[in-house]
Amino acid sequence: YISDVGAFDLKPLFIAGSCITVIFLDAAFLSERWLRHRGRLAKNKGRAEKILVVLSLFFALVGTLGLILLSIFDTFRHRSLHRLFLLFFLGGYVLSAIFICAEYQRLGKHFRQIPLLRFSFWTKLAFIFLEVSLSVGFMACLYTDKPDQAAVLEWVIAFIFTFYILVFVVDLLPATRKKHRFLREAMTEMGDAGTSPPTRRSEEGMPTSEPEAGYANGSYRC
């Protein structure tokens, strides 16, 4: 089991790795919410979507606490608590994924022109079905004295959870493209208004007559 590996000499590394994992995942959750609020990603339209956001964040917090606590209360010294926090971890993030999935399904109806929303929806839905099925199998093997099968399922669950985290990188990509588009539009407006682009300086610090790199005909190219 992963828990057995992290219960002894590697326990400090197990705790540190668990904390780093949830910090970056929760940072991705919060970044997505902030970018949607600012309009850099497709914005939530109604009250129902905002409720789904709050529920997804709440259960993500439950999953976060579960992972941190199960790494602290190891399976060798605190078996019952470890299994309880394992349930919090799996249940929290699966329920969070369900509410995120419901939010993306509603966003997809409002923004049919954004195929990435559909991709993210189906990816998270697949994660839900796989993790729930594997978790049921894992618990069944755990309580029917089949440790080898349970250990294999535990590692598979962990790897699938890693891919679930990586999907949020894809979710945030449109915000970077939109940032460059806003910059181009702002630079074009400056050119149309007759604003002079910044003067390029030579290596000696003296101004030259050439416009700064990226400017051409009053516009900015990213």
PDB file of all heavy atoms in Angstrom, residues 28-55:
ATOM      1  N   ALA A  28      -5.198  25.835  -7.934  1.00  0.00           N
ATOM      2  CA  ALA A  28      -5.814  25.765  -9.266  1.00  0.00           C
ATOM      3  C   ALA A  28      -7.313  26.036  -9.183  1.00  0.00           C
ATOM      4  O   ALA A  28      -7.874  26.765 -10.019  1.00  0.00           O
ATOM      5  CB  ALA A  28      -5.560  24.392  -9.888  1.00  0.00           C
ATOM      6  N   PHE A  29      -7.983  25.474  -8.162  1.00  0.00           N
ATOM      7  CA  PHE A  29      -9.417  25.747  -7.955  1.00  0.00           C
ATOM      8  C   PHE A  29      -9.665  27.250  -7.790  1.00  0.00           C
ATOM      9  O   PHE A  29     -10.528  27.835  -8.457  1.00  0.00           O
ATOM     10  CB  PHE A  29      -9.938  25.023  -6.705  1.00  0.00           C
ATOM     11  CG  PHE A  29     -10.139  23.552  -6.881  1.00  0.00           C
ATOM     12  CD1 PHE A  29     -10.003  22.692  -5.807  1.00  0.00           C
ATOM     13  CD2 PHE A  29     -10.476  23.019  -8.110  1.00  0.00           C
ATOM     14  CE1 PHE A  29     -10.183  21.325  -5.951  1.00  0.00           C
ATOM     15  CE2 PHE A  29     -10.669  21.654  -8.263  1.00  0.00           C
ATOM     16  CZ  PHE A  29     -10.515  20.809  -7.188  1.00  0.00           C
ATOM     17  N   LEU A  30      -8.910  27.864  -6.892  1.00  0.00           N
ATOM     18  CA  LEU A  30      -9.117  29.280  -6.589  1.00  0.00           C
ATOM     19  C   LEU A  30      -8.747  30.170  -7.783  1.00  0.00           C
ATOM     20  O   LEU A  30      -9.425  31.172  -8.039  1.00  0.00           O
ATOM     21  CB  LEU A  30      -8.298  29.672  -5.360  1.00  0.00           C
ATOM     22  CG  LEU A  30      -8.714  28.988  -4.053  1.00  0.00           C
ATOM     23  CD1 LEU A  30      -7.749  29.341  -2.929  1.00  0.00           C
ATOM     24  CD2 LEU A  30     -10.136  29.382  -3.668  1.00  0.00           C
ATOM     25  N   SER A  31      -7.699  29.794  -8.515  1.00  0.00           N
ATOM     26  CA  SER A  31      -7.315  30.566  -9.704  1.00  0.00           C
ATOM     27  C   SER A  31      -8.410  30.529 -10.748  1.00  0.00           C
ATOM     28  O   SER A  31      -8.730  31.546 -11.375  1.00  0.00           O
ATOM     29  CB  SER A  31      -6.014  30.010 -10.293  1.00  0.00           C
ATOM     30  OG  SER A  31      -4.950  30.128  -9.392  1.00  0.00           O
ATOM     31  N   GLU A  32      -9.001  29.355 -10.928  1.00  0.00           N
ATOM     32  CA  GLU A  32     -10.085  29.236 -11.903  1.00  0.00           C
ATOM     33  C   GLU A  32     -11.264  30.120 -11.512  1.00  0.00           C
ATOM     34  O   GLU A  32     -11.847  30.802 -12.352  1.00  0.00           O
ATOM     35  CB  GLU A  32     -10.520  27.779 -12.016  1.00  0.00           C
ATOM     36  CG  GLU A  32     -11.564  27.564 -13.098  1.00  0.00           C
ATOM     37  CD  GLU A  32     -12.207  26.197 -13.010  1.00  0.00           C
ATOM     38  OE1 GLU A  32     -12.223  25.614 -11.897  1.00  0.00           O
ATOM     39  OE2 GLU A  32     -12.728  25.732 -14.032  1.00  0.00           O
ATOM     40  N   ARG A  33     -11.607  30.132 -10.215  1.00  0.00           N
ATOM     41  CA  ARG A  33     -12.735  30.953  -9.769  1.00  0.00           C
ATOM     42  C   ARG A  33     -12.440  32.436  -9.980  1.00  0.00           C
ATOM     43  O   ARG A  33     -13.293  33.200 -10.417  1.00  0.00           O
ATOM     44  CB  ARG A  33     -13.020  30.701  -8.275  1.00  0.00           C
ATOM     45  CG  ARG A  33     -13.378  29.275  -7.960  1.00  0.00           C
ATOM     46  CD  ARG A  33     -14.525  28.768  -8.825  1.00  0.00           C
ATOM     47  NE  ARG A  33     -14.499  27.330  -8.964  1.00  0.00           N
ATOM     48  CZ  ARG A  33     -15.111  26.662  -9.927  1.00  0.00           C
ATOM     49  NH1 ARG A  33     -15.757  27.335 -10.866  1.00  0.00           N
ATOM     50  NH2 ARG A  33     -15.052  25.351  -9.997  1.00  0.00           N
ATOM     51  N   TRP A  34     -11.229  32.838  -9.655  1.00  0.00           N
ATOM     52  CA  TRP A  34     -10.860  34.254  -9.801  1.00  0.00           C
ATOM     53  C   TRP A  34     -10.869  34.650 -11.276  1.00  0.00           C
ATOM     54  O   TRP A  34     -11.367  35.735 -11.624  1.00  0.00           O
ATOM     55  CB  TRP A  34      -9.476  34.475  -9.193  1.00  0.00           C
ATOM     56  CG  TRP A  34      -9.048  35.918  -9.237  1.00  0.00           C
ATOM     57  CD1 TRP A  34      -9.460  36.926  -8.419  1.00  0.00           C
ATOM     58  CD2 TRP A  34      -8.116  36.507 -10.154  1.00  0.00           C
ATOM     59  NE1 TRP A  34      -8.852  38.106  -8.771  1.00  0.00           N
ATOM     60  CE2 TRP A  34      -8.020  37.878  -9.830  1.00  0.00           C
ATOM     61  CE3 TRP A  34      -7.364  35.997 -11.207  1.00  0.00           C
ATOM     62  CZ2 TRP A  34      -7.194  38.744 -10.543  1.00  0.00           C
ATOM     63  CZ3 TRP A  34      -6.538  36.861 -11.908  1.00  0.00           C
ATOM     64  CH2 TRP A  34      -6.459  38.222 -11.570  1.00  0.00           C
ATOM     65  N   LEU A  35     -10.356  33.798 -12.144  1.00  0.00           N
ATOM     66  CA  LEU A  35     -10.323  34.104 -13.579  1.00  0.00           C
ATOM     67  C   LEU A  35     -11.726  34.137 -14.176  1.00  0.00           C
ATOM     68  O   LEU A  35     -12.003  34.935 -15.076  1.00  0.00           O
ATOM     69  CB  LEU A  35      -9.455  33.082 -14.313  1.00  0.00           C
ATOM     70  CG  LEU A  35      -7.952  33.169 -14.017  1.00  0.00           C
ATOM     71  CD1 LEU A  35      -7.228  31.948 -14.571  1.00  0.00           C
ATOM     72  CD2 LEU A  35      -7.363  34.451 -14.602  1.00  0.00           C
ATOM     73  N   ARG A  36     -12.616  33.297 -13.692  1.00  0.00           N
ATOM     74  CA  ARG A  36     -14.010  33.359 -14.160  1.00  0.00           C
ATOM     75  C   ARG A  36     -14.670  34.655 -13.680  1.00  0.00           C
ATOM     76  O   ARG A  36     -15.431  35.289 -14.412  1.00  0.00           O
ATOM     77  CB  ARG A  36     -14.798  32.159 -13.645  1.00  0.00           C
ATOM     78  CG  ARG A  36     -14.412  30.860 -14.291  1.00  0.00           C
ATOM     79  CD  ARG A  36     -15.483  29.794 -14.189  1.00  0.00           C
ATOM     80  NE  ARG A  36     -14.949  28.527 -14.634  1.00  0.00           N
ATOM     81  CZ  ARG A  36     -14.725  28.198 -15.891  1.00  0.00           C
ATOM     82  NH1 ARG A  36     -15.029  29.053 -16.853  1.00  0.00           N
ATOM     83  NH2 ARG A  36     -14.217  27.022 -16.219  1.00  0.00           N
ATOM     84  N   HIS A  37     -14.385  35.033 -12.462  1.00  0.00           N
ATOM     85  CA  HIS A  37     -14.955  36.264 -11.920  1.00  0.00           C
ATOM     86  C   HIS A  37     -14.464  37.485 -12.705  1.00  0.00           C
ATOM     87  O   HIS A  37     -15.236  38.425 -12.947  1.00  0.00           O
ATOM     88  CB  HIS A  37     -14.576  36.404 -10.441  1.00  0.00           C
ATOM     89  CG  HIS A  37     -15.040  37.680  -9.815  1.00  0.00           C
ATOM     90  ND1 HIS A  37     -16.377  37.936  -9.540  1.00  0.00           N
ATOM     91  CD2 HIS A  37     -14.353  38.793  -9.412  1.00  0.00           C
ATOM     92  CE1 HIS A  37     -16.496  39.143  -9.011  1.00  0.00           C
ATOM     93  NE2 HIS A  37     -15.283  39.671  -8.922  1.00  0.00           N
ATOM     94  N   ARG A  38     -13.200  37.470 -13.130  1.00  0.00           N
ATOM     95  CA  ARG A  38     -12.624  38.586 -13.874  1.00  0.00           C
ATOM     96  C   ARG A  38     -12.969  38.553 -15.360  1.00  0.00           C
ATOM     97  O   ARG A  38     -12.652  39.497 -16.089  1.00  0.00           O
ATOM     98  CB  ARG A  38     -11.093  38.587 -13.715  1.00  0.00           C
ATOM     99  CG  ARG A  38     -10.612  38.879 -12.300  1.00  0.00           C
ATOM    100  CD  ARG A  38     -10.992  40.282 -11.865  1.00  0.00           C
ATOM    101  NE  ARG A  38     -10.389  41.287 -12.738  1.00  0.00           N
ATOM    102  CZ  ARG A  38      -9.198  41.823 -12.539  1.00  0.00           C
ATOM    103  NH1 ARG A  38      -8.478  41.457 -11.495  1.00  0.00           N
ATOM    104  NH2 ARG A  38      -8.726  42.729 -13.362  1.00  0.00           N
ATOM    105  N   GLY A  39     -13.607  37.474 -15.827  1.00  0.00           N
ATOM    106  CA  GLY A  39     -13.969  37.388 -17.233  1.00  0.00           C
ATOM    107  C   GLY A  39     -12.874  36.845 -18.123  1.00  0.00           C
ATOM    108  O   GLY A  39     -13.017  36.850 -19.347  1.00  0.00           O
ATOM    109  N   ARG A  40     -11.777  36.367 -17.543  1.00  0.00           N
ATOM    110  CA  ARG A  40     -10.701  35.788 -18.337  1.00  0.00           C
ATOM    111  C   ARG A  40     -11.044  34.360 -18.764  1.00  0.00           C
ATOM    112  O   ARG A  40     -10.430  33.822 -19.688  1.00  0.00           O
ATOM    113  CB  ARG A  40      -9.397  35.810 -17.540  1.00  0.00           C
ATOM    114  CG  ARG A  40      -8.889  37.195 -17.178  1.00  0.00           C
ATOM    115  CD  ARG A  40      -7.981  37.749 -18.237  1.00  0.00           C
ATOM    116  NE  ARG A  40      -6.781  36.951 -18.352  1.00  0.00           N
ATOM    117  CZ  ARG A  40      -5.742  37.019 -17.522  1.00  0.00           C
ATOM    118  NH1 ARG A  40      -5.766  37.866 -16.498  1.00  0.00           N
ATOM    119  NH2 ARG A  40      -4.695  36.252 -17.715  1.00  0.00           N
ATOM    120  N   LEU A  41     -11.976  33.728 -18.055  1.00  0.00           N
ATOM    121  CA  LEU A  41     -12.567  32.460 -18.451  1.00  0.00           C
ATOM    122  C   LEU A  41     -14.071  32.671 -18.545  1.00  0.00           C
ATOM    123  O   LEU A  41     -14.594  33.694 -18.100  1.00  0.00           O
ATOM    124  CB  LEU A  41     -12.256  31.368 -17.419  1.00  0.00           C
ATOM    125  CG  LEU A  41     -10.789  30.931 -17.304  1.00  0.00           C
ATOM    126  CD1 LEU A  41     -10.620  29.970 -16.130  1.00  0.00           C
ATOM    127  CD2 LEU A  41     -10.286  30.282 -18.578  1.00  0.00           C
ATOM    128  N   ALA A  42     -14.776  31.708 -19.145  1.00  0.00           N
ATOM    129  CA  ALA A  42     -16.237  31.829 -19.294  1.00  0.00           C
ATOM    130  C   ALA A  42     -16.878  32.070 -17.931  1.00  0.00           C
ATOM    131  O   ALA A  42     -16.673  31.293 -16.993  1.00  0.00           O
ATOM    132  CB  ALA A  42     -16.790  30.559 -19.926  1.00  0.00           C
ATOM    133  N   LYS A  43     -17.654  33.141 -17.820  1.00  0.00           N
ATOM    134  CA  LYS A  43     -18.203  33.544 -16.523  1.00  0.00           C
ATOM    135  C   LYS A  43     -19.441  32.734 -16.171  1.00  0.00           C
ATOM    136  O   LYS A  43     -20.206  32.319 -17.040  1.00  0.00           O
ATOM    137  CB  LYS A  43     -18.557  35.036 -16.545  1.00  0.00           C
ATOM    138  CG  LYS A  43     -17.371  35.958 -16.731  1.00  0.00           C
ATOM    139  CD  LYS A  43     -17.750  37.416 -16.539  1.00  0.00           C
ATOM    140  CE  LYS A  43     -18.004  37.729 -15.084  1.00  0.00           C
ATOM    141  NZ  LYS A  43     -18.175  39.170 -14.846  1.00  0.00           N
ATOM    142  N   ASN A  44     -19.612  32.520 -14.861  1.00  0.00           N
ATOM    143  CA  ASN A  44     -20.842  31.898 -14.375  1.00  0.00           C
ATOM    144  C   ASN A  44     -22.008  32.846 -14.594  1.00  0.00           C
ATOM    145  O   ASN A  44     -21.908  34.045 -14.330  1.00  0.00           O
ATOM    146  CB  ASN A  44     -20.717  31.558 -12.887  1.00  0.00           C
ATOM    147  CG  ASN A  44     -19.626  30.541 -12.619  1.00  0.00           C
ATOM    148  OD1 ASN A  44     -18.631  30.839 -11.972  1.00  0.00           O
ATOM    149  ND2 ASN A  44     -19.788  29.328 -13.117  1.00  0.00           N
ATOM    150  N   LYS A  45     -23.136  32.283 -15.063  1.00  0.00           N
ATOM    151  CA  LYS A  45     -24.263  33.123 -15.470  1.00  0.00           C
ATOM    152  C   LYS A  45     -25.340  33.273 -14.400  1.00  0.00           C
ATOM    153  O   LYS A  45     -25.929  34.334 -14.250  1.00  0.00           O
ATOM    154  CB  LYS A  45     -24.897  32.538 -16.744  1.00  0.00           C
ATOM    155  CG  LYS A  45     -24.021  32.654 -17.976  1.00  0.00           C
ATOM    156  CD  LYS A  45     -23.888  34.103 -18.411  1.00  0.00           C
ATOM    157  CE  LYS A  45     -23.123  34.230 -19.722  1.00  0.00           C
ATOM    158  NZ  LYS A  45     -23.020  35.636 -20.158  1.00  0.00           N
ATOM    159  N   GLY A  46     -25.620  32.212 -13.682  1.00  0.00           N
ATOM    160  CA  GLY A  46     -26.759  32.265 -12.768  1.00  0.00           C
ATOM    161  C   GLY A  46     -26.401  31.900 -11.337  1.00  0.00           C
ATOM    162  O   GLY A  46     -25.272  31.541 -11.009  1.00  0.00           O
ATOM    163  N   ARG A  47     -27.422  31.978 -10.497  1.00  0.00           N
ATOM    164  CA  ARG A  47     -27.228  31.684  -9.078  1.00  0.00           C
ATOM    165  C   ARG A  47     -26.909  30.209  -8.861  1.00  0.00           C
ATOM    166  O   ARG A  47     -26.116  29.862  -7.980  1.00  0.00           O
ATOM    167  CB  ARG A  47     -28.497  32.073  -8.327  1.00  0.00           C
ATOM    168  CG  ARG A  47     -28.392  31.890  -6.823  1.00  0.00           C
ATOM    169  CD  ARG A  47     -29.670  32.354  -6.139  1.00  0.00           C
ATOM    170  NE  ARG A  47     -29.588  32.191  -4.700  1.00  0.00           N
ATOM    171  CZ  ARG A  47     -30.571  32.473  -3.861  1.00  0.00           C
ATOM    172  NH1 ARG A  47     -31.731  32.941  -4.345  1.00  0.00           N
ATOM    173  NH2 ARG A  47     -30.428  32.303  -2.564  1.00  0.00           N
ATOM    174  N   ALA A  48     -27.538  29.343  -9.670  1.00  0.00           N
ATOM    175  CA  ALA A  48     -27.311  27.900  -9.511  1.00  0.00           C
ATOM    176  C   ALA A  48     -25.846  27.555  -9.717  1.00  0.00           C
ATOM    177  O   ALA A  48     -25.279  26.735  -8.983  1.00  0.00           O
ATOM    178  CB  ALA A  48     -28.177  27.131 -10.504  1.00  0.00           C
ATOM    179  N   GLU A  49     -25.208  28.172 -10.706  1.00  0.00           N
ATOM    180  CA  GLU A  49     -23.790  27.897 -10.957  1.00  0.00           C
ATOM    181  C   GLU A  49     -22.925  28.361  -9.791  1.00  0.00           C
ATOM    182  O   GLU A  49     -21.945  27.697  -9.432  1.00  0.00           O
ATOM    183  CB  GLU A  49     -23.352  28.574 -12.249  1.00  0.00           C
ATOM    184  CG  GLU A  49     -23.964  27.942 -13.491  1.00  0.00           C
ATOM    185  CD  GLU A  49     -23.594  28.680 -14.751  1.00  0.00           C
ATOM    186  OE1 GLU A  49     -22.630  29.466 -14.731  1.00  0.00           O
ATOM    187  OE2 GLU A  49     -24.282  28.484 -15.771  1.00  0.00           O
ATOM    188  N   LYS A  50     -23.284  29.493  -9.195  1.00  0.00           N
ATOM    189  CA  LYS A  50     -22.511  29.986  -8.056  1.00  0.00           C
ATOM    190  C   LYS A  50     -22.656  29.055  -6.845  1.00  0.00           C
ATOM    191  O   LYS A  50     -21.696  28.859  -6.081  1.00  0.00           O
ATOM    192  CB  LYS A  50     -22.951  31.397  -7.706  1.00  0.00           C
ATOM    193  CG  LYS A  50     -22.615  32.408  -8.802  1.00  0.00           C
ATOM    194  CD  LYS A  50     -23.111  33.802  -8.470  1.00  0.00           C
ATOM    195  CE  LYS A  50     -22.764  34.771  -9.595  1.00  0.00           C
ATOM    196  NZ  LYS A  50     -23.265  36.143  -9.328  1.00  0.00           N
ATOM    197  N   ILE A  51     -23.842  28.470  -6.674  1.00  0.00           N
ATOM    198  CA  ILE A  51     -24.043  27.501  -5.589  1.00  0.00           C
ATOM    199  C   ILE A  51     -23.188  26.257  -5.838  1.00  0.00           C
ATOM    200  O   ILE A  51     -22.564  25.716  -4.907  1.00  0.00           O
ATOM    201  CB  ILE A  51     -25.532  27.130  -5.470  1.00  0.00           C
ATOM    202  CG1 ILE A  51     -26.341  28.341  -4.996  1.00  0.00           C
ATOM    203  CG2 ILE A  51     -25.721  25.947  -4.517  1.00  0.00           C
ATOM    204  CD1 ILE A  51     -27.833  28.123  -4.991  1.00  0.00           C
ATOM    205  N   LEU A  52     -23.135  25.812  -7.090  1.00  0.00           N
ATOM    206  CA  LEU A  52     -22.300  24.660  -7.435  1.00  0.00           C
ATOM    207  C   LEU A  52     -20.824  24.946  -7.155  1.00  0.00           C
ATOM    208  O   LEU A  52     -20.082  24.064  -6.704  1.00  0.00           O
ATOM    209  CB  LEU A  52     -22.499  24.293  -8.909  1.00  0.00           C
ATOM    210  CG  LEU A  52     -23.865  23.714  -9.281  1.00  0.00           C
ATOM    211  CD1 LEU A  52     -23.996  23.585 -10.798  1.00  0.00           C
ATOM    212  CD2 LEU A  52     -24.077  22.356  -8.611  1.00  0.00           C
ATOM    213  N   VAL A  53     -20.398  26.171  -7.414  1.00  0.00           N
ATOM    214  CA  VAL A  53     -19.013  26.570  -7.138  1.00  0.00           C
ATOM    215  C   VAL A  53     -18.718  26.458  -5.647  1.00  0.00           C
ATOM    216  O   VAL A  53     -17.684  25.896  -5.237  1.00  0.00           O
ATOM    217  CB  VAL A  53     -18.754  28.006  -7.634  1.00  0.00           C
ATOM    218  CG1 VAL A  53     -17.428  28.530  -7.086  1.00  0.00           C
ATOM    219  CG2 VAL A  53     -18.750  28.064  -9.145  1.00  0.00           C
ATOM    220  N   VAL A  54     -19.613  26.993  -4.820  1.00  0.00           N
ATOM    221  CA  VAL A  54     -19.408  26.960  -3.363  1.00  0.00           C
ATOM    222  C   VAL A  54     -19.347  25.511  -2.868  1.00  0.00           C
ATOM    223  O   VAL A  54     -18.475  25.149  -2.051  1.00  0.00           O
ATOM    224  CB  VAL A  54     -20.534  27.727  -2.651  1.00  0.00           C
ATOM    225  CG1 VAL A  54     -20.441  27.545  -1.143  1.00  0.00           C
ATOM    226  CG2 VAL A  54     -20.462  29.212  -3.000  1.00  0.00           C
ATOM    227  N   LEU A  55     -20.248  24.663  -3.362  1.00  0.00           N
ATOM    228  CA  LEU A  55     -20.263  23.261  -2.939  1.00  0.00           C
ATOM    229  C   LEU A  55     -18.984  22.539  -3.377  1.00  0.00           C
ATOM    230  O   LEU A  55     -18.413  21.740  -2.618  1.00  0.00           O
ATOM    231  CB  LEU A  55     -21.493  22.555  -3.512  1.00  0.00           C
ATOM    232  CG  LEU A  55     -22.834  22.974  -2.903  1.00  0.00           C
ATOM    233  CD1 LEU A  55     -23.986  22.359  -3.682  1.00  0.00           C
ATOM    234  CD2 LEU A  55     -22.915  22.571  -1.433  1.00  0.00           C
TER     235      LEU A  55
END
